[in-house]
Amino acid sequence: MNKYRTHNCSELTEKNIGKKTKLSGWIHRKRDHGNLLFVDLRDHFGITQCVIENKDKAFKILEKIKPESVIMVEGNVVKRSKETENKELKTGLIEVKIINVKILSEAKELPMPVFGEQDYPEDIRLKYRFIDLRRSEMHENIKLRSKILSFVRSKMIENNFLEFQTPILTASSPEGARDFLVPSRLHPGKFYALPQAPQQFKQMIMISGFDRYFQIAPCFRDEDGRADRSPGEHYQLDMEMSFVEQEDILKIVEPIFYDLFKEFGKGKKINKPPFPRIRYKESLEKYGTDKPDLRNPIELVNVTKIFKSEDVKLKIFKDIIEKGGIVKAIPVPNTFSKPRSFFDGLNNWAISEGASGLAYITFEKAKNKVVGKGPIAKFFSESAVLELIKNCKITEKDSVFFVCNKEKEAIRFSGVARQKIAEELKLIDEKSFHFCWVTDYPCMNTMKKKKK
């Protein structure tokens, strides 16, 4: 029999009632009711409620000991009373009546509590990372990561990929970021580089005749942190295939991603393969970004031609267009009931983001025709309003926001505004995933030629 436990803290059920058990774990929290002391004992697997009466010898030990101390308890499994059952716990129908307690490791005052999910400053969380990782949310995230890696690994092997481990200490190679360097003890004054990606090694594997390679690879890049990765390092699924074209690779990856998110996506809807293929240029034109959120139904429209015509008298926009700028329209559905404060709020947000503002037009039906309303509507002729409605595919219940700037900035900010407006109007389906492929990225050589 195991010296420390007969069960883990998630195993005991009504079937164990009347039996002796031994549990080991951390004191998650205590509740002192005077004559009774309740202890929630936690381990990697879950929580079990333990109870002791004040007449028992171990009562004073448990009364004084602090949360997160590690203890071993021996006791009898008993049924909880109806009013104290906790259906959210696997062990919520029983509790352990404590007979003996042994302290394995006593904790001092904690710099941050484990019980509850309060937000604490990042510097404290990182300094006491071993405590932070005990918190339920963080602990579950680490478990989830392990399960995802195992799932991806099994799927790749099912598809006849071989897993390789490539060297970490290597020579510097031309990549997109700066290398991390490691000084050599055996060769003073010389350095190894940590790989930014296993690029050269996997190419050696493929030209050696292996048909399908994969690796869950660490990548080290001396660059600033981003919203979706830590500074310095990240892990990526790296793969290579022989004698294939782009479509062959996409067809292999799509089912893996679909199954992965079906398994771990918490019941959210997922679009089935084949995923939409969107060309890079089209993605910028329609969504203002090369990583579009397709759950957002808004599509951008280039309306520069309308603003250049004589039917629009908006000088400030015309001056920007003459200098090479463009106008991007953001058609927004069902805003007819929105108050003026909604539009002013978005305008103020745009200014706070460094833009000059966010011009807009709303529409309404008057005398059997649709007319424009709002601060810049007076600059549009009737034919310009009709052209705008046609190009943006909207009705009198909708509105249009405009971004006018140099092409690159207009595309970027219209994409940001598109997402912001959709979030404000709750147009994004948060209960779904919608994957796509963005293809035909411009090559560096093509971009250099364009600059010349």
Side-chain angles (χ1 to χ4, degrees):
M1 183 183 289
N2 187 292
K3 178 181 175 182
Y4 294 103
R5 61 187 180 189
T6 56
H7 300 83
N8 67 48
C9 290
S10 184
E11 279 184 307
L12 296 172
T13 66
E14 288 177 292
K15 294 178 182 176
N16 303 104
I17 289 173
K19 295 179 180 177
K20 277 195 171 182
T21 188
K22 188 188 290 184
L23 302 174
S24 291
W26 288 260
I27 296 177
H28 190 58
R29 66 168 177 160
K30 299 189 299 180
R31 299 182 301 286
D32 192 342
H33 289 202
N35 61 329
L36 288 176
L37 180 66
F38 292 93
V39 175
D40 288 344
L41 193 66
R42 184 195 76 244
D43 66 8
H44 170 75
F45 302 97
I47 291 175
T48 298
Q49 179 174 284
C50 304
V51 61
I52 189 168
E53 295 182 18
N54 60 1
K55 62 184 180 183
D56 292 320
K57 287 187 299 181
F59 183 88
K60 287 186 178 179
I61 297 172
L62 288 172
E63 190 179 37
K64 291 177 182 177
I65 199 167
K66 289 181 170 57
E68 293 307 301
S69 295
V70 185
I71 62 172
M72 179 177 70
V73 303
E74 290 182 86
N76 296 315
V77 181
V78 297
K79 185 172 174 58
R80 289 203 203 184
S81 60
K82 203 72 178 173
E83 61 273 13
T84 62
E85 288 179 355
N86 184 350
K87 299 289 176 66
E88 292 181 9
L89 290 179
K90 287 184 179 178
T91 58
L93 300 180
I94 59 90
E95 61 190 12
V96 174
K97 192 170 183 181
I98 298 172
I99 300 171
N100 292 313
V101 173
K102 183 177 181 181
I103 299 172
L104 302 179
S105 177
E106 189 168 354
K108 296 180 181 179
E109 196 69 41
L110 295 175
M112 54 182 287
V114 173
F115 171 69
E117 292 298 325
Q118 302 99 319
D119 285 329
Y120 274 78
E122 194 172 75
D123 58 335
I124 292 177
R125 291 179 59 196
L126 292 176
K127 184 177 180 180
Y128 300 100
R129 189 62 164 162
F130 65 99
I131 297 177
D132 186 44
L133 292 179
R134 294 180 190 180
R135 295 163 58 223
S136 176
E137 182 182 6
M138 298 303 299
H139 204 80
E140 290 304 315
N141 284 347
I142 296 293
K143 286 161 65 177
L144 177 63
R145 185 180 189 275
S146 176
K147 290 174 185 176
I148 288 172
L149 291 178
S150 297
F151 185 90
V152 169
R153 184 173 278 114
S154 67
K155 288 291 180 182
M156 297 301 286
I157 292 168
E158 280 176 22
N159 282 282
N160 297 318
F161 284 82
L162 289 177
E163 183 175 11
F164 286 77
Q165 284 77 42
T166 53
I168 296 298
L169 293 176
T170 181
S172 186
S173 61
E175 293 276 0
R178 289 184 295 271
D179 291 320
F180 280 113
L181 300 178
V182 180
S184 170
R185 179 180 62 82
L186 296 176
H187 305 283
K190 295 190 176 181
F191 297 82
Y192 295 103
L194 300 182
Q196 295 187 33
Q199 189 68 37
Q200 292 183 321
F201 296 113
K202 68 180 180 181
Q203 288 171 345
M204 289 172 63
I205 289 166
M206 298 312 289
I207 61 174
S208 299
F210 294 97
D211 195 77
R212 294 188 174 191
Y213 143 96
F214 89 96
Q215 181 180 188
I216 297 167
C219 300
F220 304 93
R221 298 173 185 178
D222 188 6
E223 59 185 10
D224 294 335
R226 303 183 191 177
D228 57 354
R229 70 173 68 157
S230 300
E233 64 177 286
H234 68 274
Y235 281 76
Q236 66 186 34
L237 173 61
D238 207 78
M239 58 182 285
E240 290 281 342
M241 298 167 66
S242 294
F243 306 110
V244 291
E245 296 179 301
Q246 176 178 283
E247 199 59 29
D248 298 304
I249 298 168
L250 303 191
K251 284 178 179 177
I252 282 286
V253 174
E254 283 177 342
I256 294 173
F257 266 76
Y258 178 78
D259 291 343
L260 177 66
F261 278 78
K262 192 175 180 182
E263 178 74 18
F264 299 104
K266 297 182 178 178
K268 292 185 179 182
K269 292 183 291 184
I270 312 139
N271 60 314
K272 291 185 178 180
F275 301 150
R277 273 70 163 158
I278 305 172
R279 299 184 69 181
Y280 173 80
K281 190 175 179 183
E282 180 190 356
S283 183
L284 293 186
E285 287 173 354
K286 283 187 176 182
Y287 311 110
T289 177
D290 59 357
K291 43 183 182 293
D293 185 347
L294 297 186
R295 300 170 304 168
N296 179 350
I298 297 173
E299 291 188 4
L300 307 175
V301 182
N302 190 322
V303 292
T304 310
K305 190 175 178 182
I306 296 174
F307 277 79
K308 282 174 73 174
S309 73
E310 290 300 315
D311 291 320
V312 178
K313 307 292 185 184
L314 196 56
K315 187 176 185 302
I316 190 169
F317 276 35
K318 285 183 180 294
D319 290 345
I320 294 170
I321 291 168
E322 282 178 13
K323 293 175 184 175
I326 63 169
V327 184
K328 297 291 285 186
I330 310 168
V332 184
N334 298 318
T335 54
F336 63 96
S337 62
K338 291 292 174 185
R340 174 71 182 263
S341 59
F342 167 76
F343 299 94
D344 289 344
L346 286 169
N347 185 61
N348 293 335
W349 164 81
I351 293 169
S352 72
E353 292 289 312
S356 56
L358 202 56
Y360 67 90
I361 294 181
T362 61
F363 302 92
E364 65 178 36
K365 211 160 193 178
K367 297 179 181 178
N368 294 323
K369 64 179 181 181
V370 179
V371 296
K373 304 285 286 183
I376 65 168
K378 61 186 177 184
F379 299 107
F380 285 71
S381 69
E382 188 178 326
S383 60
V385 169
L386 292 173
E387 187 71 14
L388 194 61
I389 290 169
K390 180 183 173 185
N391 281 21
C392 295
K393 298 175 184 175
I394 55 176
T395 71
E396 71 274 9
K397 293 183 177 182
D398 308 328
S399 58
V400 182
F401 290 85
F402 303 99
V403 176
C404 182
N405 210 326
K406 292 178 182 177
E407 183 176 7
K408 187 176 179 180
E409 182 55 28
I411 288 171
R412 184 199 72 80
F413 189 70
S414 61
V416 174
R418 166 185 176 265
Q419 202 66 13
K420 171 69 175 177
I421 292 166
E423 288 168 2
E424 289 286 322
L425 293 172
K426 295 182 170 52
L427 298 178
I428 298 169
D429 182 6
E430 300 286 353
K431 294 181 179 178
S432 69
F433 296 105
H434 201 129
F435 293 110
C436 72
W437 295 104
V438 177
T439 65
D440 302 299
Y441 275 75
C443 294
M444 288 303 294
N445 290 338
T446 308
M447 292 170 75
K448 285 175 183 174
K449 284 179 186 176
K450 211 172 182 182
K451 283 180 182 177
K452 288 178 184 178

